[in-house]
Amino acid sequence: MKLNHKSSVLLVVLAVVLLFLPFIADALLGRGWVRILDFALLYIMLALGLNIVVGYAGLLDLGYIAFFAVGAYCYALLGSPQFGLHWPFWIVLPLGALLACVFGVLLGAPTLRLRGDYLAIVTLGFGEIVRIFLNNLNAPINITNGPQGINMIDPIRLGTFSLSSEQSLFGLSFPAVHLHYYLFLACTLLVIFISMRLQDSRIGRAWAAIREDEVAATAMGINTRNIKLLAFAMGATFGGAAGGLFAGLQGFVSPESFGLTESIMVLCMVVLGGMGNIKGVVLGGVLLVLLPEALRHGAGPMQQAWFGKTYIDPESLRMLLFGLALIAVMLLRPAGLWPSRQRQRELTEEHEDYDSTR
Amino acid sequence: MDILLQQIINGLVQGSVYALVALGYTMVYGILGLINFAHGEVVMVGAMVALSITQVLAGYALPPMVVLLISLLVASMVCMALGYGIERIAYRPLRNAPRLAPLITAIGVSIVLQNLAMIIWGRAYHAFPPLLPDSPHIIAGAIINEVQIAIILVAVVMMTGLLLLIHRTRLGRAMRAVAENPAIAALMGVNINAVISITFMLGSALAAVAGIMVAANYGIVHYYMGSILGLKAFTAAVLGGIGNLRGAMLGGVLLGLIESLGAGYIGDLSGGFFGSNYQDVFAFFVLIAVLVLRPSGLLGERVAERA
Amino acid sequence: MSYKNLSLPLLILALAACDKSEAPTAPANSGTVANELIVKIGASSPLTGPQAHIGKDNENGTRMAIEDANAKGITIGSKKVHFELLSEDDQADGKTATIVAQKLVDAKVNGIIGHLNSGTSIPASRIYNDNGIPQISPSATAIKFTAQGFKTAFRVMTNDAQQGKVLGEFAAKNLSAKKIAVVDDRSSYGQGIADEFVKSAQASGAQIVAREYTNDKAVDFTAVLTSIKGKRPDLVFFGGMDPQGAPMVKQLKALGLSAKFMMGDGGYTPKLIENAGAAAEGVYASLPGVPLDKMPGGKDFSQRYEAQFKQPIQLYAPFCYDAVNVMIAAMQRADSAEPAKYLPALAETSYDGVTGKIAFDEKGDLKGGAVTMYQIQQGKWQPLQTIGGSTPAAAH
């Protein structure tokens, strides 16, 4: 990737915008939107993690949120009054990622022979199993507090510098949501960097090979077992790290937050944005977090403005429009909003087989 | 002993409910190789339409069987139209798209249907009138009522009917041809689009029947009822080998039995450590175990992998 | 591929349009007479998803109280007050709840009525506390909600321990159940109340013969009920909500169990009777507070509710109504709608609401908290006995 002059200017502009985004959002739209940005960054990390499994290696995973849950609960258990442990976040966070990685391998191992939809249902089952265990491990021995969840989780803290209280730096005051934004942004950039490096590495090419044709990949001497396990492990690691950050931001975790719909949501981000393309996945994550929130703000007032009356309950309309948007985007851009070049090429070639005039 | 028998009956009934829904999944999958994730919502719409019809007819003092038939007819027609529309709008344009694109539109359709249903029928749970007689029969100390017997029968009849349709009729042959290879089927003069539309409409009519049976059995309908039912039925279809009609029936019944026996006995088996709270875990473990040993389900033959 | 470059900008444009159209909501309403004080009351409950019907009921109750207050014409700080309701959907999800909480805080609400569930009230309470905004939950029952040391968190509902205690004692003593089977739906509410019920029933001498579980989306309970049948209990307690309660009691009767069936406040709804049909007869449930028609203004409230919303009260609407009134009363006593100023007054509340007498203890829990036991008799909820609480005049 060589940068020409134009794209480096664009990069600088982007960096400046990202740097000041929380302040811009706070001033124009309100602090609620900074929190939404925090969640957008978390979901981008999740989507990028899932992208490794689904986009790079082509393994359909419907239980990805389980790794998010593992990371979140690891943080919550080791940094809350639950066991009276208050380990610092720089130990707990990597530990959560590592634990999620182990879970990734545990899930991957029995599913290596499965393909396509069979893999989808097994991963879905795995996600539900993790959630059900978290929901029920309050008896006979109380570990997770069951459905009550774990509360009073320690904020992310470095020494005396706590991210959950307002801090003043350089004459500017940074509220908690702003501070989390910068930490999450740094983590997201790291995840993006790793994703980019992986994509262009030998491993990345091996993933692409098994995605396109597993038999041919095996024939080329690729150890499909290890390569698949690596995809699950890498994806899970990102998910686990994001989970730890989530627990630190929320201060409360309960099993409800890790249901199947969340897994599906993350998958939607990956597919909608453009599988296998980092920029696309980031876009998908941003859109799917912002869209329902924008509709929350927009659905009621828009009816007021257009018809002078609220006909349909804005809340029903919000999810309805969200569903319609999912359909519309996929119809207009089946490969995602911002597909990888390679995938786009494949698609257009396929079309040419049927209709060369297009 | 009567407790064990009762649990088996519970499992059979629950399993037949899953099978009813799973048949629709598996039929569409068998022909198109596509998981119609919106199928559960079509089941819900079927039940909801039937509810509205019974409410409309409530003033005419018709015998319950007549009301049932009318609501069945109307619900099937609405669902068929819906199925046709879903296929035309959400799946047909994506036939050559990447494999996951139709999955996302299916999720989109589910969300839309759910929220439309919420707008039309409201947020509340509705009582579904008892259209089928529910007088109990006692067999060796275990109880089964007539709705439950009807559910088991309808599931078996539907599976048999579908098998006959697919293996004994011209339309069935066309369906199998499309499943085998759409391009060649088209060359042989099969109207692919028509066959696929009919498949969807048939699957949706099945969904309507399933929806009404489920509503009649539990006596309660809600705009959210489709999603969890769809998920269980999908699991059942995969367990049996998705794309295989007998597999859907087998998978449904097995899943039902696993759940009820699991919920009933897991506590005693694990010395009280696990309880009925792990019912779904138990079901998923069995599923995973089966798939590890037989990667394409109990009766599945085709390896499900498409580009 | 001609639309390739079009669709993305279009989408973003549409989004931006959404954001813009949001802008008028706040200023449009505040552009009123100078001598009028706008007080914004935030409310949040699930308005979509499986619990939407109960969430909407909460919103209705809150709305009624606010409309009543506006009709009454209240003055605070010698200004006429116009109360405004900002109602948000938290989807019963903790993550969405924090977004909603932050949004309401941004909108500069003067107080919060919500959330419905414990799983949303708890994470949101931290944000309200950080911003010093008083929060009264009409229906969160988890003990933890008020045990976080937050000065801003209150509830006008008894907690799991208070209600579970009454339920357990009533089952073991008044109904003299010796063998009890307990089912819960593994939700935060269901598990919480079931655990407290078990403690209390055991302390009163009953034996728990079965502890079974389901989930809050299930409709088939035959498997757990069958294994309960084998244990021959006198009473089955279900910790959960009416959507599960109704089919459960139907299946209980269909399986030939003769045990009594009891639920907490999650069962005390007209829907339970409607959806369980004949099987509902004899079901017990509790509801915090005193029976509505025994309270001054209670009957009037339920009649007006039905007239306005074309449906009977589902569950917590009266508690929402009281919560708003408690909050407004505190503002009047402090003569200020500013959160920091009326918060101390709120803590010292002593108010006669439609659900009973409301006063808070040092944690923000309902002091004394009366609980009434009800039974379905001839297709109607009939109060049996009010236990605890400090309004002897209303109990019999």
Side-chain angles (χ1 to χ4, degrees):
Chain A
M1 279 236 291
K2 257 186 199 158
L3 292 176
N4 57 26
H5 184 65
K6 199 173 141 201
S7 61
S8 55
V9 168
L10 214 66
L11 218 58
V12 170
V13 171
L14 190 69
V16 171
V17 169
L18 283 177
L19 206 58
F20 289 103
L21 197 57
F23 289 97
I24 301 169
D26 195 1
L28 290 180
L29 298 163
R31 193 152 296 168
W33 280 93
V34 185
R35 182 171 273 273
I36 295 170
L37 284 178
D38 290 352
F39 279 113
L41 287 170
L42 272 179
Y43 276 98
I44 290 171
M45 281 183 250
L46 279 178
L48 285 168
L50 184 61
N51 182 44
I52 291 178
V53 185
V54 180
Y56 290 174
L59 304 162
L60 180 51
D61 186 347
L62 285 182
Y64 184 69
I65 211 72
F67 307 123
F68 187 57
V70 167
Y73 266 87
C74 181
Y75 188 106
L77 290 172
L78 299 177
S80 76
Q82 177 74 359
F83 294 135
L85 296 173
H86 295 280
W87 294 13
F89 100 96
W90 48 267
I91 294 179
V92 178
L93 200 65
L95 205 64
L98 188 73
L99 195 65
C101 174
V102 172
F103 269 79
V105 175
L106 278 180
L107 161 72
T111 60
L112 290 170
R113 281 172 67 204
L114 300 175
R115 289 161 176 231
D117 309 313
Y118 292 92
L119 180 62
I121 191 76
V122 168
T123 50
L124 185 155
F126 178 80
E128 284 295 283
I129 287 173
V130 168
R131 189 186 60 81
I132 293 169
F133 268 99
L134 292 176
N135 204 25
N136 289 306
L137 281 178
N138 61 322
I141 315 151
N142 184 7
I143 301 170
T144 62
N145 239 2
Q148 305 295 332
I150 297 172
N151 199 8
M152 309 299 281
I153 299 170
D154 298 344
I156 299 170
R157 190 167 28 207
L158 264 180
T160 56
F161 188 91
S162 167
L163 251 57
S164 72
S165 49
E166 193 153 333
Q167 303 278 354
S168 308
L169 281 176
F170 324 115
L172 268 175
S173 88
F174 290 84
V177 276
H178 291 47
L179 294 168
H180 281 95
Y181 170 86
Y182 290 111
L183 175 68
F184 290 5
L185 183 65
C187 292
T188 308
L189 290 175
L190 183 68
V191 171
I192 291 177
F193 177 73
I194 297 173
S195 287
M196 277 164 65
R197 301 296 297 175
L198 277 174
Q199 189 174 21
D200 299 329
S201 68
R202 272 175 66 95
I203 298 168
R205 286 199 299 277
W207 281 334
I210 60 167
R211 177 186 71 209
E212 296 306 328
D213 191 333
E214 197 174 329
V215 180
T218 318
M220 299 301 286
I222 292 171
N223 183 337
T224 53
R225 188 194 62 194
N226 289 357
I227 277 297
K228 275 187 181 178
L229 283 180
L230 195 63
F232 277 119
M234 289 298 306
T237 308
F238 289 169
L245 294 173
F246 172 75
L249 171 68
Q250 286 286 80
F252 175 77
V253 293
S254 69
E256 298 167 306
S257 306
F258 308 106
L260 174 63
T261 38
E262 290 291 307
S263 283
I264 289 179
M265 220 46 184
V266 179
L267 183 68
C268 284
M269 292 170 187
V270 175
V271 179
L272 199 80
M275 268 198 298
N277 185 22
I278 295 168
K279 291 173 197 154
V281 172
V282 170
L283 179 69
V286 172
L287 274 184
L288 286 202
V289 174
L290 295 193
L291 190 64
E293 291 310 318
L295 289 173
R296 175 198 294 283
H297 292 249
M302 233 148 62
Q303 282 187 67
Q304 284 281 355
W306 290 353
F307 310 112
K309 199 179 155 209
T310 314
Y311 284 101
I312 302 175
D313 203 345
E315 295 308 334
S316 331
L317 195 63
R318 177 166 71 98
M319 289 314 282
L320 190 70
L321 289 177
F322 179 68
L324 287 174
L326 279 186
I327 301 172
V329 171
M330 273 348 269
L331 289 182
L332 292 174
R333 301 184 65 85
L337 287 168
W338 198 339
S340 65
R341 286 226 183 86
Q342 189 191 358
R343 215 155 253 265
Q344 208 169 3
R345 231 177 13 244
E346 284 164 16
L347 256 188
T348 36
E349 272 163 21
E350 222 172 286
H351 274 293
E352 275 157 15
D353 290 342
Y354 289 97
D355 182 3
S356 52
T357 55
R358 195 175 285 180
Chain B
M1 201 54 216
D2 52 342
I3 296 290
L4 178 65
L5 185 63
Q6 184 71 56
Q7 290 293 24
I8 291 173
I9 290 175
N10 297 339
L12 271 178
V13 173
Q14 173 86 73
S16 302
V17 167
Y18 294 156
L20 275 173
V21 183
L23 283 171
Y25 266 109
T26 228
M27 194 174 80
V28 167
Y29 189 93
I31 310 297
L32 276 168
L34 171 112
I35 306 172
N36 179 13
F37 258 112
H39 190 70
E41 308 308 329
V42 181
V43 173
M44 176 271 294
V45 171
M48 286 302 203
V49 169
L51 174 76
S52 293
I53 301 299
T54 57
Q55 283 167 348
V56 169
L57 294 180
Y60 295 94
L62 295 167
M65 265 302 168
V66 178
V67 177
L68 179 73
L69 284 179
I70 296 175
S71 49
L72 200 62
L73 203 70
V74 178
S76 304
M77 280 181 344
V78 171
C79 286
M80 278 161 89
L82 193 63
Y84 177 79
I86 292 174
E87 196 270 329
R88 269 315 286 269
I89 294 166
Y91 298 145
R92 187 174 297 181
L94 294 176
R95 234 174 257 167
N96 295 316
R99 200 166 60 90
L100 287 180
L103 189 74
I104 304 294
T105 50
I107 293 166
V109 168
S110 300
I111 296 176
V112 168
L113 287 180
Q114 242 180 49
N115 285 281
L116 269 182
M118 183 169 101
I119 292 168
I120 298 172
W121 287 284
R123 296 177 163 89
Y125 285 74
H126 300 284
F128 195 84
L131 295 178
L132 286 158
D134 58 355
S135 34
H137 294 270
I138 296 172
I139 310 165
I143 299 173
I144 185 166
N145 68 34
E146 284 169 6
V147 189
Q148 295 173 321
I149 297 172
I151 285 183
I152 299 174
L153 287 181
V154 169
V156 173
V157 167
M158 275 191 0
M159 182 197 69
T160 319
L162 283 177
L163 281 174
L164 288 176
L165 174 85
I166 285 177
H167 291 285
R168 295 284 159 81
T169 64
R170 253 182 91 81
L171 175 65
R173 202 177 329 144
M175 283 176 170
R176 279 181 288 143
V178 173
E180 206 61 48
N181 189 330
I184 292 178
L187 289 177
M188 304 300 270
V190 176
N191 183 345
I192 305 185
N193 284 338
V195 168
I196 290 175
S197 285
I198 290 172
T199 307
F200 261 88
M201 286 159 73
L202 220 61
S204 303
L206 292 183
V209 176
I212 292 174
M213 296 310 288
V214 171
N217 187 31
Y218 298 117
I220 194 167
V221 289
H222 185 227
Y223 77 93
Y224 212 74
M225 67 187 273
S227 53
I228 193 86
L229 195 60
L231 187 67
K232 286 283 169 71
F234 175 51
T235 311
V238 173
L239 183 63
I242 193 161
N244 183 310
L245 290 169
R246 290 189 192 88
M249 190 73 205
L250 178 68
V253 170
L254 264 182
L255 187 63
L257 284 173
I258 291 167
E259 282 190 1
S260 73
L261 294 177
Y265 294 100
I266 196 171
D268 298 339
L269 288 178
S270 65
F273 190 84
F274 294 111
S276 47
N277 39 348
Y278 291 96
Q279 170 184 340
D280 286 348
V281 170
F282 192 61
F284 279 122
F285 267 130
V286 173
L287 175 82
I288 292 172
V290 167
L291 289 184
V292 166
L293 295 174
R294 284 189 64 87
S296 36
L298 289 171
L299 299 181
E301 299 127 40
R302 292 182 354 150
V303 174
E305 185 69 353
R306 295 166 319 283
Chain C
M1 286 277 132
S2 58
Y3 44 73
K4 178 187 153 195
N5 300 321
L6 246 171
S7 58
L8 185 57
L10 261 182
L11 201 68
I12 290 170
L13 208 69
L15 272 174
C18 292
D19 289 349
K20 288 240 179 62
S21 57
E22 167 233 4
T25 30
N29 294 320
S30 46
T32 34
V33 198
N35 211 24
E36 198 177 79
L37 181 68
I38 301 283
V39 174
K40 291 180 187 160
I41 306 281
S44 187
S45 54
L47 299 172
T48 55
Q51 296 179 9
H53 61 302
I54 298 184
K56 192 73 186 172
D57 184 53
N58 273 23
E59 189 195 280
N60 291 346
T62 310
R63 188 178 298 279
M64 254 181 88
I66 286 174
E67 284 169 4
D68 284 0
N70 282 336
K72 238 182 273 168
I74 286 169
T75 50
I76 292 174
S78 67
K79 274 185 182 171
K80 201 172 169 318
V81 182
H82 181 80
F83 292 97
E84 210 175 87
L85 172 65
L86 302 181
S87 176
E88 291 290 343
D89 176 19
D90 62 27
Q91 298 172 307
D93 165 50
K95 175 173 62 64
T96 313
T98 59
I99 292 178
V100 162
Q102 189 75 57
K103 188 188 169 202
L104 291 171
V105 168
D106 285 349
K108 305 241 174 332
V109 292
N110 301 66
I112 301 284
I113 306 300
H115 299 210
L116 191 154
N117 313 73
S118 302
T120 48
S121 297
I122 292 171
S125 64
R126 179 185 273 202
I127 292 172
Y128 301 134
N129 183 60
D130 287 350
N131 292 280
I133 295 176
Q135 170 194 15
I136 306 179
S137 172
S139 47
T141 57
I143 295 163
K144 272 196 291 184
F145 169 58
T146 50
Q148 307 175 85
F150 292 161
K151 288 262 173 293
T152 48
F154 299 89
R155 66 176 134 214
V156 291
M157 160 81 36
T158 50
N159 65 27
D160 287 338
Q162 292 168 312
Q163 199 177 174
K165 184 166 180 293
V166 169
L167 281 162
E169 282 172 4
F170 190 82
K173 291 184 181 153
N174 299 42
L175 302 178
S176 42
K178 297 274 168 293
K179 294 198 282 180
I180 297 177
V182 177
V183 186
D184 78 64
D185 67 357
R186 298 319 286 166
S187 71
S188 164
Y189 163 74
Q191 186 246 344
I193 199 161
D195 279 4
E196 294 298 331
F197 172 86
V198 167
K199 273 188 220 161
S200 157
Q202 280 173 335
S204 305
Q207 186 197 353
I208 305 300
V209 292
R211 186 83 163 88
E212 297 289 344
Y213 311 91
T214 180
N215 65 65
D216 56 359
K217 293 179 188 73
V219 284
D220 192 312
F221 312 99
T222 50
V224 291
L225 290 175
T226 301
S227 69
I228 284 175
K229 190 184 176 188
K231 309 271 168 60
R232 302 179 193 288
D234 305 318
L235 182 137
V236 177
F237 178 81
F238 173 52
M241 304 297 286
D242 64 330
Q244 278 67 46
M248 188 181 287
V249 68
K250 269 177 94 170
Q251 289 164 26
L252 182 108
K253 298 270 161 82
L255 283 169
L257 263 94
S258 53
K260 299 183 175 87
F261 187 77
M262 183 188 263
M263 288 180 71
D265 52 319
Y268 179 77
T269 66
K271 275 284 167 196
L272 189 84
I273 302 173
E274 192 188 324
N275 290 344
E281 198 62 25
V283 169
Y284 297 92
S286 63
L287 189 69
V290 179
L292 205 55
D293 47 8
K294 293 219 167 119
M295 291 306 295
K299 210 161 206 153
D300 172 58
F301 173 78
S302 62
Q303 279 165 358
R304 285 193 300 133
Y305 182 99
E306 280 179 41
Q308 186 169 351
F309 301 108
K310 311 279 180 292
Q311 62 167 17
I313 294 167
Q314 295 297 308
L315 192 50
Y316 300 121
F319 295 89
C320 297
Y321 186 79
D322 275 356
V324 177
N325 285 329
V326 161
M327 190 175 270
I328 292 176
M331 289 175 183
Q332 283 178 298
R333 271 178 284 129
D335 204 26
S336 167
E338 262 178 63
K341 295 215 175 114
Y342 83 85
L343 182 61
L346 186 59
E348 285 159 14
T349 289
S350 171
Y351 182 85
D352 285 309
V354 293
T355 61
K357 187 167 188 69
I358 294 169
F360 301 114
D361 65 10
E362 65 283 359
K363 278 155 78 187
D365 274 337
L366 200 55
K367 208 186 270 175
V371 176
T372 304
M373 291 301 308
Y374 296 80
Q375 187 181 25
I376 300 176
Q377 294 170 351
Q378 276 128 31
K380 266 186 146 158
W381 282 110
Q382 297 293 347
L384 296 176
Q385 191 179 355
T386 300
I387 300 160
S390 44
T391 41
H396 55 234

